[in-house]
Amino acid sequence: MKKWNQQYHDKFKRHTLIFQVWDEKNLERAWKQVRANKGSAGIDDITINEFEQNLSRNLAEIQRLLKEKRYVPSPVKRVFIPKGNGKMRPLGIPTVRDRIVQQALKNVLEPIYEEIFLPQSHGYRPNTDAHAAVRKAEAYFEAGYHWVVDADIEGFFDHVDHQILMDLVCEKVSDGRVLSQVESFLESGIMNEGIFEESTEGTPQGGNLSPLLANIYLNHFDRRMGDYGYLLLRYADDIVIFCKYEWEAEDALKRAREILEGELKLKLSPEKTKIVHARKKGVEFLGFHFNGRWRRPRDKARKRFREEIRQRTRRQQPKNLEMVIQSINPVIRGWGNYFKGGTVKKLFGELDGYIRGRLRSFQAKRRTLKILVFGIHPAEFAKLGLVSLSSLLDDTTSCKGIRRTKAVYRKSVRTV
């Protein structure tokens, strides 16, 4: 780790940052961000609404404890949410006050580390998003990078090494009180069904600071692979490396394993990490399936969408047709706006038909089977406020618009 600090040493480290963290305006800003993100209560069972009832006093108490070096985070509450593969993903829910302090730290630290983050990282960063990564991927395929290393890190957030992470954090920050506060969140522990568990490694998913810490950790991977001259894209722990030849991809995987497993003490999944040719088998990245010529929503994304629509239009619920439409519209907009830039015109039309069929079935249960026979005209659904996926397609998602977008990124590829 000392070798890393020597290699990437920045003599302009930031000092005395703690005053910015506990600044009253920063705490108020952090509170507004936490409130906007909503979320449930931590182990103290204090909700956002309850915290807000005595907001001034609560923020003043946080500030006082930070100033007196007496702020101690509470353990996170362990909860599990279902993953797309049927397994459960562990989340750690901090208390509201801990989320505020984490956000206050993030507000101060994020601009500092943005100075050293590389452009191939797109996850949980300002001024970029998944769509930017997807557009770059398309440009790389068009430039001939058809051999891809699809790297899958096993349980990344659960296996981040605390010492390595803190060494990487120290590359840009030398304020001991800020570093101690960050470390205290890493070591705050987990409350799992009333039983306390120590957190000797990992950074719990669910905390406001975790995405930034994850990017700090994997930024080392980004720059080391860059030193070897490899072209990659990363969205949090979702990594793809683009190559022109199979032997180059094999070498890239070898280098990636050396860095991730040897230097960062992570583990690549032997089952999920693979080398694929985009035009032969296709590549899946950020919910899309690429084949080197087009991109479409991956099968799992389509199945999850249909399942969500099916659940929200089930007939055994005390709602009328208009209420059901209001329930599914946000799902349609969110899914459609994310995937509309791909080759989806035909697919969107098919899914629109599926949605209307589900609504007809729902309405028939309450009225007459004639609705199933004669149907409800699509225009009638539009009058009731139903959003269609096809209506979300516009000029910016036409083939011409996509080609213009790709051209911008092709220029950047030539400079790599």
Side-chain angles (χ1 to χ4, degrees), residues 172-241:
K172 293 292 291 182
V173 171
S174 62
D175 187 323
R177 294 181 66 176
V178 169
L179 295 173
S180 295
Q181 199 64 64
V182 171
E183 195 166 23
S184 71
F185 280 110
L186 293 175
E187 300 174 349
S188 63
I190 301 164
M191 195 65 71
N192 191 356
E193 295 184 349
I195 300 174
F196 176 78
E197 300 174 2
E198 291 186 358
S199 49
T200 57
E201 63 176 356
T203 170
Q205 288 180 272
N208 303 59
L209 199 55
S210 291
L212 174 61
L213 295 178
N215 277 331
I216 292 173
Y217 202 79
L218 289 176
N219 185 61
H220 174 76
F221 172 77
D222 296 344
R223 61 195 183 190
R224 292 282 282 117
M225 290 298 287
D227 289 343
Y228 288 118
Y230 290 109
L231 187 67
L232 67 89
L233 287 174
R234 182 174 63 80
Y235 193 93
D237 60 332
D238 197 351
I239 301 168
V240 287
I241 307 169

Coordinates of all heavy atoms in Angstrom, one line a residue, residues 172-241:
K172 N -5.8 11.6 -0.8 CA -6.2 13.0 -1.1 C -6.6 13.7 0.2 O -6.7 14.9 0.1 CB -7.4 12.9 -2.0 CG -7.1 12.5 -3.4 CD -6.3 13.4 -4.2 CE -7.0 14.7 -4.5 NZ -6.1 15.7 -5.3
V173 N -6.7 13.0 1.3 CA -7.2 13.7 2.5 C -6.3 13.3 3.7 O -5.9 12.2 3.9 CB -8.6 13.3 2.9 CG1 -9.0 13.8 4.2 CG2 -9.6 13.8 1.8
S174 N -5.9 14.4 4.4 CA -5.0 14.1 5.6 C -5.6 14.7 6.9 O -4.9 14.7 7.9 CB -3.6 14.7 5.4 OG -3.8 16.2 5.2
D175 N -6.9 15.1 6.8 CA -7.5 15.6 8.1 C -7.9 14.3 8.9 O -8.8 13.5 8.6 CB -8.8 16.3 7.7 CG -9.5 17.0 8.9 OD1 -9.5 16.4 10.0 OD2 -10.0 18.1 8.7
G176 N -7.2 14.2 10.0 CA -7.3 13.0 10.9 C -8.7 12.8 11.4 O -9.2 11.7 11.5
R177 N -9.4 13.9 11.7 CA -10.8 13.8 12.2 C -11.8 13.3 11.2 O -12.7 12.6 11.5 CB -11.2 15.2 12.8 CG -10.4 15.5 14.1 CD -10.8 16.8 14.7 NE -12.2 16.7 15.2 CZ -12.8 17.7 15.9 NH1 -12.1 18.9 16.1 NH2 -14.0 17.6 16.4
V178 N -11.6 13.8 10.0 CA -12.4 13.3 8.9 C -12.2 11.8 8.6 O -13.1 11.0 8.5 CB -12.2 14.1 7.6 CG1 -12.9 13.4 6.4 CG2 -12.8 15.5 7.8
L179 N -10.9 11.4 8.6 CA -10.5 10.1 8.4 C -11.1 9.2 9.5 O -11.6 8.1 9.2 CB -9.0 9.9 8.3 CG -8.3 10.6 7.1 CD1 -6.8 10.6 7.2 CD2 -8.8 10.0 5.8
S180 N -11.0 9.6 10.7 CA -11.5 8.8 11.8 C -13.0 8.7 11.7 O -13.5 7.6 12.0 CB -11.1 9.5 13.1 OG -9.7 9.5 13.3
Q181 N -13.7 9.7 11.3 CA -15.2 9.6 11.1 C -15.6 8.7 10.0 O -16.5 7.9 10.2 CB -15.7 11.0 10.9 CG -17.2 11.1 11.1 CD -17.5 10.9 12.6 OE1 -17.1 11.7 13.5 NE2 -18.3 9.9 12.9
V182 N -14.8 8.7 8.9 CA -15.1 7.7 7.8 C -14.9 6.3 8.3 O -15.7 5.4 8.1 CB -14.2 8.0 6.6 CG1 -14.3 6.9 5.6 CG2 -14.6 9.3 6.0
E183 N -13.8 6.1 9.0 CA -13.5 4.8 9.6 C -14.5 4.3 10.6 O -14.8 3.1 10.6 CB -12.1 4.8 10.2 CG -11.5 3.4 10.4 CD -10.0 3.4 10.7 OE1 -9.5 4.5 11.1 OE2 -9.3 2.4 10.5
S184 N -15.0 5.2 11.3 CA -16.0 4.8 12.3 C -17.3 4.3 11.7 O -17.9 3.4 12.2 CB -16.4 6.0 13.2 OG -17.1 7.0 12.5
F185 N -17.6 4.8 10.5 CA -18.8 4.3 9.8 C -18.5 2.9 9.3 O -19.4 2.0 9.2 CB -19.2 5.2 8.7 CG -20.0 6.4 9.2 CD1 -19.5 7.7 9.1 CD2 -21.3 6.2 9.6 CE1 -20.2 8.8 9.6 CE2 -22.1 7.3 10.1 CZ -21.5 8.6 10.1
L186 N -17.3 2.7 8.8 CA -16.9 1.3 8.3 C -17.0 0.3 9.4 O -17.3 -0.9 9.2 CB -15.5 1.4 7.7 CG -15.3 2.2 6.4 CD1 -13.8 2.2 6.1 CD2 -16.1 1.6 5.3
E187 N -16.7 0.7 10.6 CA -16.6 -0.2 11.8 C -17.8 -0.2 12.7 O -17.7 -0.7 13.8 CB -15.3 0.0 12.5 CG -14.0 -0.1 11.7 CD -12.8 0.3 12.5 OE1 -12.9 0.9 13.5 OE2 -11.7 0.0 12.0
S188 N -18.9 0.5 12.3 CA -20.0 0.7 13.1 C -20.8 -0.6 13.5 O -21.5 -0.7 14.4 CB -21.0 1.7 12.5 OG -21.5 1.2 11.3
G189 N -20.6 -1.6 12.7 CA -21.2 -2.9 12.9 C -22.6 -3.0 12.3 O -23.2 -2.1 11.7
I190 N -23.2 -4.2 12.5 CA -24.5 -4.6 11.9 C -25.4 -5.2 12.9 O -25.0 -6.0 13.7 CB -24.3 -5.6 10.7 CG1 -23.4 -5.0 9.6 CG2 -25.6 -6.0 10.1 CD1 -22.8 -6.1 8.7
M191 N -26.6 -4.7 12.9 CA -27.7 -5.3 13.8 C -28.5 -6.2 13.0 O -29.3 -5.7 12.2 CB -28.5 -4.2 14.5 CG -29.3 -4.7 15.7 SD -28.3 -5.3 17.0 CE -27.6 -3.8 17.7
N192 N -28.4 -7.5 13.1 CA -29.1 -8.5 12.3 C -30.1 -9.2 13.2 O -29.7 -10.1 14.0 CB -28.1 -9.5 11.7 CG -28.7 -10.4 10.7 OD1 -30.0 -10.3 10.4 ND2 -27.9 -11.2 10.0
E193 N -31.4 -8.8 13.1 CA -32.5 -9.4 13.9 C -32.2 -9.4 15.4 O -32.3 -10.3 16.1 CB -32.7 -10.9 13.5 CG -33.2 -11.0 12.0 CD -33.6 -12.4 11.6 OE1 -33.2 -13.3 12.4 OE2 -34.2 -12.6 10.6
G194 N -31.7 -8.2 15.8 CA -31.4 -8.0 17.2 C -30.1 -8.4 17.7 O -29.7 -8.2 18.9
I195 N -29.3 -9.0 16.8 CA -27.9 -9.6 17.2 C -26.9 -8.7 16.6 O -26.9 -8.5 15.4 CB -27.8 -11.0 16.8 CG1 -28.9 -11.9 17.5 CG2 -26.4 -11.5 17.1 CD1 -28.8 -13.3 17.0
F196 N -25.9 -8.2 17.4 CA -24.9 -7.3 16.9 C -23.8 -8.1 16.2 O -23.3 -9.1 16.7 CB -24.3 -6.5 18.0 CG -23.1 -5.6 17.6 CD1 -23.3 -4.4 16.9 CD2 -21.8 -6.0 17.8 CE1 -22.3 -3.7 16.4 CE2 -20.7 -5.2 17.4 CZ -21.0 -4.1 16.7
E197 N -23.4 -7.7 15.0 CA -22.3 -8.3 14.3 C -21.2 -7.3 14.0 O -21.5 -6.2 13.5 CB -22.8 -9.0 13.0 CG -23.8 -10.1 13.2 CD -24.4 -10.6 11.9 OE1 -23.9 -10.1 10.8 OE2 -25.3 -11.4 11.9
E198 N -20.0 -7.6 14.2 CA -18.9 -6.7 13.9 C -18.7 -6.6 12.4 O -19.0 -7.5 11.6 CB -17.6 -7.1 14.5 CG -17.5 -7.0 16.0 CD -16.1 -7.3 16.5 OE1 -15.2 -7.7 15.7 OE2 -15.9 -7.2 17.8
S199 N -18.3 -5.4 11.9 CA -18.1 -5.2 10.5 C -16.6 -5.1 10.3 O -16.0 -4.0 10.4 CB -18.8 -4.0 9.9 OG -18.6 -2.9 10.8
T200 N -15.9 -6.2 10.0 CA -14.4 -6.1 9.9 C -14.0 -5.9 8.4 O -12.8 -5.6 8.2 CB -13.8 -7.5 10.3 OG1 -14.4 -8.6 9.6 CG2 -14.1 -7.7 11.8
E201 N -15.0 -6.0 7.5 CA -14.7 -5.7 6.1 C -16.0 -5.3 5.5 O -17.1 -5.4 6.0 CB -14.1 -6.9 5.4 CG -15.1 -8.1 5.3 CD -14.5 -9.3 4.5 OE1 -13.4 -9.2 4.0 OE2 -15.2 -10.3 4.5
G202 N -15.9 -4.7 4.3 CA -17.0 -4.3 3.5 C -17.5 -2.9 3.9 O -17.1 -2.3 4.9
T203 N -18.4 -2.4 3.0 CA -19.0 -1.1 3.2 C -20.5 -1.3 2.9 O -20.8 -1.5 1.7 CB -18.4 0.1 2.4 OG1 -19.2 1.2 2.5 CG2 -18.2 -0.3 0.9
P204 N -21.4 -1.2 3.9 CA -22.8 -1.7 3.6 C -23.5 -0.9 2.5 O -23.5 0.3 2.5 CB -23.4 -1.4 5.0 CG -22.3 -1.4 6.0 CD -21.2 -0.8 5.2
Q205 N -24.1 -1.6 1.6 CA -25.0 -1.0 0.6 C -26.2 -0.4 1.4 O -26.9 -1.1 2.1 CB -25.5 -2.0 -0.4 CG -24.4 -2.5 -1.4 CD -24.9 -3.5 -2.4 OE1 -24.9 -4.7 -2.1 NE2 -25.3 -3.0 -3.5
G206 N -26.5 0.8 1.1 CA -27.6 1.5 1.8 C -27.1 2.8 2.4 O -27.9 3.7 2.7
G207 N -25.8 2.9 2.7 CA -25.3 4.1 3.3 C -25.0 5.2 2.2 O -24.6 4.8 1.1
N208 N -25.2 6.4 2.6 CA -24.9 7.5 1.7 C -23.5 7.6 1.2 O -23.2 8.0 0.1 CB -25.3 8.9 2.3 CG -26.8 8.9 2.8 OD1 -27.2 8.1 3.6 ND2 -27.6 9.8 2.3
L209 N -22.6 7.2 2.1 CA -21.2 7.3 1.8 C -20.6 6.1 1.0 O -19.6 6.2 0.3 CB -20.4 7.4 3.1 CG -19.0 8.0 3.1 CD1 -18.9 9.4 2.4 CD2 -18.4 8.1 4.5
S210 N -21.3 5.0 1.0 CA -20.8 3.8 0.4 C -20.5 3.9 -1.1 O -19.5 3.4 -1.6 CB -21.8 2.6 0.6 OG -21.8 2.3 2.0
P211 N -21.4 4.5 -2.0 CA -21.0 4.6 -3.4 C -19.7 5.4 -3.6 O -18.9 5.0 -4.5 CB -22.2 5.3 -4.0 CG -23.3 5.1 -3.1 CD -22.7 5.0 -1.7
L212 N -19.5 6.5 -2.9 CA -18.2 7.2 -3.0 C -17.0 6.4 -2.6 O -16.0 6.3 -3.3 CB -18.3 8.5 -2.2 CG -17.0 9.3 -2.2 CD1 -16.6 9.8 -3.6 CD2 -17.1 10.5 -1.3
L213 N -17.2 5.7 -1.5 CA -16.1 4.8 -1.0 C -15.8 3.7 -2.0 O -14.6 3.3 -2.3 CB -16.4 4.2 0.3 CG -16.5 5.3 1.5 CD1 -16.9 4.6 2.8 CD2 -15.2 6.1 1.7
A214 N -16.8 3.2 -2.6 CA -16.7 2.1 -3.7 C -15.9 2.6 -4.8 O -15.0 2.0 -5.4 CB -18.0 1.6 -4.1
N215 N -16.2 3.9 -5.3 CA -15.5 4.4 -6.4 C -14.0 4.8 -6.1 O -13.1 4.6 -6.9 CB -16.2 5.7 -6.9 CG -17.3 5.4 -7.8 OD1 -17.3 4.4 -8.5 ND2 -18.4 6.2 -7.8
I216 N -13.8 5.2 -4.8 CA -12.4 5.4 -4.4 C -11.6 4.1 -4.4 O -10.5 4.1 -4.9 CB -12.4 6.0 -3.0 CG1 -13.0 7.4 -3.0 CG2 -11.0 6.0 -2.4 CD1 -13.2 8.0 -1.6
Y217 N -12.2 3.0 -4.0 CA -11.6 1.7 -3.9 C -11.2 1.2 -5.4 O -10.1 0.8 -5.6 CB -12.5 0.8 -3.2 CG -11.8 -0.5 -2.7 CD1 -11.1 -0.4 -1.4 CD2 -11.8 -1.7 -3.3 CE1 -10.5 -1.5 -0.9 CE2 -11.2 -2.8 -2.8 CZ -10.5 -2.7 -1.6 OH -9.9 -3.8 -1.0
L218 N -12.2 1.3 -6.2 CA -12.0 0.7 -7.6 C -11.4 1.7 -8.5 O -11.0 1.3 -9.7 CB -13.4 0.3 -8.2 CG -14.0 -1.0 -7.5 CD1 -15.3 -1.3 -8.0 CD2 -13.0 -2.2 -7.7
N219 N -11.2 3.0 -8.1 CA -10.4 3.9 -9.0 C -9.0 3.4 -9.1 O -8.4 3.7 -10.1 CB -10.5 5.3 -8.3 CG -9.8 6.3 -9.2 OD1 -10.2 6.6 -10.3 ND2 -8.7 7.0 -8.7
H220 N -8.5 2.7 -8.1 CA -7.2 2.1 -8.2 C -7.1 1.1 -9.4 O -6.2 1.1 -10.1 CB -6.8 1.4 -6.9 CG -5.5 0.7 -7.0 ND1 -4.3 1.3 -7.0 CD2 -5.3 -0.7 -7.1 CE1 -3.3 0.4 -7.0 NE2 -3.9 -0.8 -7.1
F221 N -8.2 0.3 -9.5 CA -8.3 -0.6 -10.6 C -8.3 0.1 -11.9 O -7.6 -0.3 -12.9 CB -9.5 -1.5 -10.4 CG -9.8 -2.4 -11.6 CD1 -9.0 -3.5 -11.8 CD2 -10.8 -2.1 -12.5 CE1 -9.3 -4.4 -12.9 CE2 -11.0 -2.9 -13.6 CZ -10.3 -4.0 -13.8
D222 N -9.1 1.2 -12.0 CA -9.2 2.0 -13.3 C -7.9 2.5 -13.7 O -7.5 2.3 -14.9 CB -10.2 3.2 -13.0 CG -11.6 2.8 -12.7 OD1 -11.9 1.6 -12.9 OD2 -12.3 3.6 -12.2
R223 N -7.1 3.1 -12.8 CA -5.9 3.7 -13.3 C -4.8 2.6 -13.5 O -3.9 2.8 -14.4 CB -5.4 4.7 -12.2 CG -5.1 4.2 -10.9 CD -5.0 5.4 -9.9 NE -4.7 4.9 -8.5 CZ -4.7 5.7 -7.5 NH1 -5.1 6.9 -7.6 NH2 -4.3 5.2 -6.3
R224 N -4.8 1.5 -12.8 CA -3.8 0.5 -13.0 C -4.1 -0.2 -14.4 O -3.1 -0.5 -15.1 CB -3.9 -0.6 -11.9 CG -3.4 -0.1 -10.6 CD -1.9 0.0 -10.5 NE -1.3 -1.4 -10.3 CZ -0.6 -2.0 -11.1 NH1 -0.2 -1.5 -12.3 NH2 -0.1 -3.2 -10.8
M225 N -5.3 -0.4 -14.7 CA -5.6 -1.0 -16.0 C -5.3 0.0 -17.1 O -4.9 -0.3 -18.2 CB -7.1 -1.4 -16.1 CG -7.4 -2.6 -15.3 SD -6.6 -4.1 -15.8 CE -7.4 -4.5 -17.3
G226 N -5.5 1.3 -16.8 CA -5.1 2.4 -17.7 C -3.6 2.4 -18.0 O -3.2 2.7 -19.1
D227 N -2.8 2.1 -16.9 CA -1.4 2.0 -17.1 C -1.0 1.0 -18.1 O 0.0 1.1 -18.8 CB -0.7 1.7 -15.8 CG -0.8 2.9 -14.8 OD1 -1.1 4.0 -15.2 OD2 -0.6 2.7 -13.6
Y228 N -1.8 -0.1 -18.2 CA -1.5 -1.2 -19.1 C -2.1 -0.9 -20.5 O -1.9 -1.7 -21.5 CB -2.0 -2.5 -18.6 CG -1.3 -3.1 -17.5 CD1 -1.9 -3.3 -16.2 CD2 0.0 -3.5 -17.6 CE1 -1.2 -3.9 -15.2 CE2 0.8 -4.0 -16.5 CZ 0.1 -4.2 -15.3 OH 0.8 -4.8 -14.3
G229 N -2.9 0.2 -20.6 CA -3.4 0.6 -21.9 C -4.7 -0.1 -22.3 O -5.1 0.0 -23.5
Y230 N -5.4 -0.6 -21.3 CA -6.7 -1.3 -21.6 C -7.9 -0.3 -21.6 O -7.9 0.7 -20.8 CB -7.0 -2.4 -20.7 CG -6.0 -3.6 -20.9 CD1 -5.0 -3.9 -20.0 CD2 -6.1 -4.3 -22.0 CE1 -4.2 -4.9 -20.2 CE2 -5.2 -5.4 -22.3 CZ -4.3 -5.7 -21.3 OH -3.4 -6.7 -21.6
L231 N -8.8 -0.6 -22.4 CA -10.0 0.3 -22.6 C -11.2 -0.4 -21.8 O -11.6 -1.5 -22.1 CB -10.4 0.4 -24.1 CG -11.5 1.4 -24.4 CD1 -11.1 2.8 -24.2 CD2 -11.9 1.2 -25.9
L232 N -11.7 0.3 -20.8 CA -12.7 -0.4 -20.0 C -13.8 0.7 -19.6 O -13.6 1.9 -19.7 CB -12.1 -1.0 -18.7 CG -11.5 0.0 -17.6 CD1 -12.6 0.4 -16.6 CD2 -10.4 -0.7 -16.8
L233 N -14.9 0.1 -19.2 CA -16.0 0.9 -18.7 C -16.4 0.3 -17.3 O -16.4 -1.0 -17.2 CB -17.2 0.9 -19.6 CG -17.1 1.7 -20.9 CD1 -18.3 1.4 -21.8 CD2 -17.0 3.2 -20.6
R234 N -16.7 1.1 -16.4 CA -17.1 0.6 -15.1 C -18.3 1.4 -14.5 O -18.3 2.7 -14.6 CB -16.0 0.7 -14.1 CG -16.3 0.2 -12.7 CD -15.1 0.1 -11.8 NE -14.6 1.5 -11.5 CZ -15.1 2.3 -10.6 NH1 -16.2 2.0 -9.9 NH2 -14.5 3.5 -10.5
Y235 N -19.3 0.7 -14.0 CA -20.4 1.3 -13.3 C -20.5 0.7 -12.0 O -21.0 -0.4 -11.8 CB -21.7 1.1 -14.1 CG -22.8 2.0 -13.6 CD1 -23.1 3.3 -14.2 CD2 -23.6 1.7 -12.5 CE1 -24.1 4.1 -13.7 CE2 -24.6 2.5 -12.0 CZ -24.8 3.7 -12.6 OH -25.8 4.5 -12.2
A236 N -19.9 1.4 -11.0 CA -19.8 0.8 -9.6 C -18.9 -0.4 -9.8 O -17.8 -0.3 -10.2 CB -21.1 0.5 -8.9
D237 N -19.4 -1.6 -9.4 CA -18.6 -2.8 -9.5 C -18.9 -3.6 -10.8 O -18.5 -4.8 -10.9 CB -18.8 -3.7 -8.3 CG -20.3 -4.2 -8.1 OD1 -21.2 -3.4 -8.5 OD2 -20.5 -5.2 -7.5
D238 N -19.6 -3.1 -11.7 CA -20.0 -3.7 -13.0 C -18.9 -3.3 -14.0 O -18.8 -2.1 -14.4 CB -21.4 -3.3 -13.5 CG -21.9 -4.2 -14.5 OD1 -21.2 -5.0 -15.0 OD2 -23.1 -4.0 -14.9
I239 N -18.1 -4.2 -14.4 CA -16.9 -3.9 -15.2 C -16.9 -4.7 -16.6 O -17.1 -5.9 -16.6 CB -15.6 -4.3 -14.5 CG1 -15.5 -3.5 -13.1 CG2 -14.3 -4.0 -15.3 CD1 -14.5 -4.0 -12.2
V240 N -16.6 -4.0 -17.7 CA -16.3 -4.6 -18.9 C -15.1 -4.0 -19.5 O -14.9 -2.8 -19.5 CB -17.5 -4.4 -19.9 CG1 -18.7 -5.3 -19.5 CG2 -18.0 -3.0 -20.0
I241 N -14.2 -4.8 -20.1 CA -13.0 -4.4 -20.8 C -13.1 -4.8 -22.2 O -13.4 -5.9 -22.6 CB -11.8 -5.1 -20.1 CG1 -11.8 -5.0 -18.6 CG2 -10.5 -4.6 -20.7 CD1 -10.8 -5.9 -17.8

